[in-house]
Amino acid sequence: MSLGPVPGESDQSRKNRGDGPVDGGMPVANPGRMTQALASHQRSPESVSHLLSLLREFDSATLITRSRGGSLHGRPMSIAQVDDDVTIWFITSVASAKVEEVAEDARAMVTLQSPSRFLCLNGNAELVFDPERIRALWKEQYRVWYGSERDPDIVLVRLTTFDAEYWDRSGLQGLKTVLQAARAYVTGQPLEAKPEQSNDPESHAKIKLWVPSEPGESVEADR
């Protein structure tokens, strides 16, 4: 898999979005930009597993990037794939505004919401020009926008997730939340435990997955 340059993109722009040294006009991915977080209280197997389960229930998400002026720009995107390390893949057009924004500033956010489930993920977005990967991620529904998986207009957007937070109010957990809220309303007493204070990975978790770092540095999450 290779990262390709964006036409007209400067070396400084590639540096800003997190690529390594530029060699012959081709940015080189720098593995030193991030290290895997080891904070067990922030990254339990149960919470990561539940996060992945929630993510894979969604077909689309809102991808939020930054414009050149610094304002936030969000748009709905079809999810191509969610990897086991919580990397999220999207397929888009080379000519789209988001491609220019990602080339200028790699910082990105993805949000997902249903009536009872809410997720927010922060990370770095990268442009990936890889025909083999495109063919692997291709879905028939994409023919609405592209002629085929060989369409030269296609580029992948890969979000490497640094941290994530979710709230799950479905099933029995949702019923429990409703009952607690009803009791609080009737008694006039605020809820004793806020969702953000819950340590139950079935209902809520903040997860630190990766820690951005400077090239050559190794930064470990607080234990």
Side-chain angles (χ1 to χ4, degrees), residues 3 14 17-23 25-31 33 126:
L3 299 181
R14 294 169 195 159
R17 79 167 190 255
D19 288 332
V22 176
D23 181 13
M26 179 70 71
V28 180
N30 189 338
R33 293 294 296 179
E126 299 171 276

Side-chain angles (χ1 to χ4, degrees), residues 166-179:
Y166 65 79
W167 299 259
D168 186 357
R169 299 174 183 171
S170 61
L172 292 177
Q173 181 60 42
L175 179 59
K176 179 181 177 181
T177 301
V178 170
L179 293 175

